[in-house]
């Protein structure tokens, strides 16, 4: 079991603490949070060991789980890496791309592993179909959330849209060619609603919409590729695959058949892949433990976290 400690005991930090304590791959050593009153309350309520400094926690563990506000990610990660500790770092990886690049360089120099908490990669609805998404040419994503004051200190792109940016970059095997976007501030100092269009060198186009002042919650992505349409509902954890194949010699009488202007006929097949329920946060944490033990690249690497942040800032720069 890897000795792990958590930096940050806010809403998400408390979830990480609970799951690390439950995990058979980690030994939870304790946590640190600079907000003394909240930290002591968490320690008293759950019995976790409370450290009195970042340095003391880092010295006591092998893996540092960074669940602090984004502005402090860089400093926390730098301290941990320079002491030879592996880091799990919540998304977005850091506040700036320069900081992210520095973290990547440091991790390489100190031979430590790092994973970024893009938890939607572990959403069971996405995992059920990700191997079927091979050459998407058009992608549409909607991530809408009801208003919550938590998170409004950053643009909606870094708060919500970055989840979809990471998913898209993970399935499109091509470099970003251009980015166009617009954003509107309604009740925050930074945009609350944003729309972006990402064009890739291979011709794929992704259209992303994110809002944190919606009347309802929605987290849905659609992937269109040759002879297939794949839909992922991240919120309801459902997937749908629609395939078009050549019509067999003797089609079923209830078969749905389309014919184009050239007379080519295709039969439509509907499939709802089995979605296996999981705890996505526990899975991402334990996948990182596996990467450390097996000396393999984490599922969401520091490089991938950096690229998602890079595209997010390209979108923000359009506003």
């Amino acid at each position: 079991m890897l000795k792990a400690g958590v930096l940050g005991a806010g809403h998400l930090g408390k979830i990480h603490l609970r799951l690390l304590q439950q995990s058979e791959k980690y030994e939870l050593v304790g946590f640190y949070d600079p907000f003394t009153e909240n930290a002591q309350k968490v320690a008293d309520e759950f019995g976790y060991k409370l450290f009195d400094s970042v340095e003391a926690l880092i010295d006591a563990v092998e893996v540092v789980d960074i669940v602090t506000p984004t502005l402090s990610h860089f400093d926390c990660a730098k301290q941990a890496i320079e002491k030879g500790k592996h880091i799990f770092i919540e998304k977005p990886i850091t506040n700036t791309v320069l900081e992210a690049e520095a973290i990547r360089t440091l991790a390489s120099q100190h031979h430590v592993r790092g994973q970024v908490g893009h938890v939607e990669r572990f959403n069971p609805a996405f995992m059920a179909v990700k191997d079927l998404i091979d050459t998407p040419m058009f992608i549409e994503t909607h991530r809408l959330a009801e208003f919550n004051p938590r998170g409004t200190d950053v643009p909606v792109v870094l708060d919500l849209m970055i989840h979809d940016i990471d998913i898209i970059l993970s399935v499109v095997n091509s470099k970003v060619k251009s980015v166009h976007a617009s954003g509107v501030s309604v009740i925050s100092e930074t945009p609350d609603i944003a729309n972006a269009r990402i064009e890739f060198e291979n011709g794929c186009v992704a259209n992303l919409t994110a809002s944190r002042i919606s009347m309802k919650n929605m987290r849905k992505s659609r992937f269109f590729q040759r002879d297939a349409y794949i839909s992922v509902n991240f919120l309801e954890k459902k997937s749908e695959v629609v395939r078009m194949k050549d019509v067999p010699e003797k089609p079923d009488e209830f078969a749905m058949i389309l014919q184009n202007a050239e007379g080519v006929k295709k039969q439509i097949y509907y499939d709802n892949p089995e979605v296996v329920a999981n705890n996505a946060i526990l899975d991402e944490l334990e996948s990182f433990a596996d990467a450390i033990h097996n000396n393999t690249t984490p599922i969401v690497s520091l490089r991938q976290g950096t690229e998602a942040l890079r595209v997010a800032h390209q979108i923000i720069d359009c506003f």
Side-chain angles (χ1 to χ4, degrees), residues 93-103 306-314:
I93 178 171
T94 49
N95 191 46
T96 68
V97 176
L98 279 175
E99 288 178 343
E101 294 283 13
I103 290 299
T306 301
E307 291 312 307
L309 182 66
R310 192 189 313 279
V311 173
H313 276 289
Q314 286 180 267

Side-chain angles (χ1 to χ4, degrees), residues 154-223:
V154 295
V156 70
V157 175
L158 294 176
D159 183 28
L160 297 178
M161 189 184 283
I162 196 163
H163 284 293
D164 298 310
I165 294 169
D166 173 68
I167 289 287
I168 289 167
L169 295 180
S170 78
V171 298
V172 179
N173 188 24
S174 178
K175 291 182 179 179
V176 172
K177 179 182 175 183
S178 64
V179 172
H180 304 278
S182 58
V184 178
S185 301
V186 179
I187 55 177
S188 309
E189 294 300 313
T190 60
D192 298 299
I193 305 171
N195 176 262
R197 177 185 171 92
I198 304 172
E199 296 183 23
F200 293 87
E201 289 182 356
N202 69 350
C204 177
V205 172
N207 194 8
L208 302 83
T209 300
S211 168
R212 58 183 172 206
I213 53 167
S214 176
M215 297 298 287
K216 64 176 183 178
N217 292 322
M218 178 190 289
R219 305 202 315 254
K220 188 177 284 188
S221 296
R222 302 173 181 88
F223 304 86

Side-chain angles (χ1 to χ4, degrees), residues 16-302:
H16 279 230
L17 282 163
R18 175 172 56 82
L19 294 175
L20 286 169
Q21 189 174 51
Q22 291 176 4
S23 173
E24 295 181 359
K25 299 189 179 186
Y26 291 100
E27 176 194 337
L28 176 63
V29 174
F31 76 102
Y32 171 76
D33 190 296
F35 297 100
T36 312
E37 190 177 332
N38 176 63
Q40 194 59 57
K41 185 180 175 183
V42 171
D44 292 343
E45 185 175 350
F46 300 102
Y48 307 133
K49 180 178 179 180
L50 172 59
F51 284 79
D52 58 10
S53 69
V54 173
E55 296 77 17
L57 176 85
I58 291 172
D59 286 340
V61 301
E62 298 166 275
V63 178
V64 180
D65 184 4
I66 301 166
V67 201
T68 60
T70 306
L71 284 172
S72 62
H73 282 188
F74 175 75
D75 288 337
C76 293
K78 183 173 183 289
Q79 287 184 66
I81 293 168
E82 287 179 341
K83 290 200 171 184
K85 313 296 181 173
H86 303 290
I87 58 162
F88 183 96
I89 189 166
E90 259 309 317
K91 67 83 193 168
I93 178 171
T94 49
N95 191 46
T96 68
V97 176
L98 279 175
E99 288 178 343
E101 294 283 13
I103 290 299
R104 285 183 59 198
T105 301
L106 274 173
S108 177
Q109 289 172 347
H110 290 270
H111 307 290
V112 298
R113 303 265 161 206
Q115 180 163 320
V116 185
H118 284 287
V119 70
E120 291 288 42
R121 293 270 206 108
F122 297 83
N123 187 301
F126 177 67
M127 293 180 74
V129 297
K130 66 177 183 178
D131 291 338
L132 302 175
I133 307 172
D134 52 13
T135 51
M137 295 312 292
F138 181 74
I139 302 170
E140 191 164 39
T141 73
H142 288 87
R143 187 166 293 260
L144 315 177
E146 295 175 4
F147 181 72
N148 182 345
R150 194 168 60 86
T152 54
D153 54 330
V154 295
V156 70
V157 175
L158 294 176
D159 183 28
L160 297 178
M161 189 184 283
I162 196 163
H163 284 293
D164 298 310
I165 294 169
D166 173 68
I167 289 287
I168 289 167
L169 295 180
S170 78
V171 298
V172 179
N173 188 24
S174 178
K175 291 182 179 179
V176 172
K177 179 182 175 183
S178 64
V179 172
H180 304 278
S182 58
V184 178
S185 301
V186 179
I187 55 177
S188 309
E189 294 300 313
T190 60
D192 298 299
I193 305 171
N195 176 262
R197 177 185 171 92
I198 304 172
E199 296 183 23
F200 293 87
E201 289 182 356
N202 69 350
C204 177
V205 172
N207 194 8
L208 302 83
T209 300
S211 168
R212 58 183 172 206
I213 53 167
S214 176
M215 297 298 287
K216 64 176 183 178
N217 292 322
M218 178 190 289
R219 305 202 315 254
K220 188 177 284 188
S221 296
R222 302 173 181 88
F223 304 86
F224 298 84
Q225 58 196 39
R226 183 74 179 169
D227 292 339
Y229 158 75
I230 299 163
S231 172
V232 179
N233 189 324
F234 291 91
L235 187 61
E236 296 179 6
K237 298 183 171 52
K238 295 177 182 176
S239 301
E240 181 181 40
V241 179
V242 180
R243 288 192 185 90
M244 287 190 289
K245 298 181 180 178
D246 292 334
V247 177
E249 285 187 20
K250 294 182 179 180
D252 183 278
E253 60 178 308
F254 298 108
M256 287 192 66
I257 297 173
L258 297 178
Q259 181 174 330
N260 65 15
E262 288 74 36
V264 177
K265 293 182 178 180
K266 296 280 186 179
Q267 181 171 339
I268 297 177
Y269 296 83
Y270 288 92
D271 183 24
N272 292 102
E274 182 186 4
V275 175
V276 181
N278 71 338
N279 184 314
I281 297 176
L282 178 61
D283 280 1
E284 68 176 353
L285 289 167
E286 293 197 333
S287 78
F288 184 45
D290 293 339
I292 293 169
H293 283 305
N294 301 327
N295 201 27
T296 54
T297 303
I299 290 176
V300 186
S301 66
L302 296 178

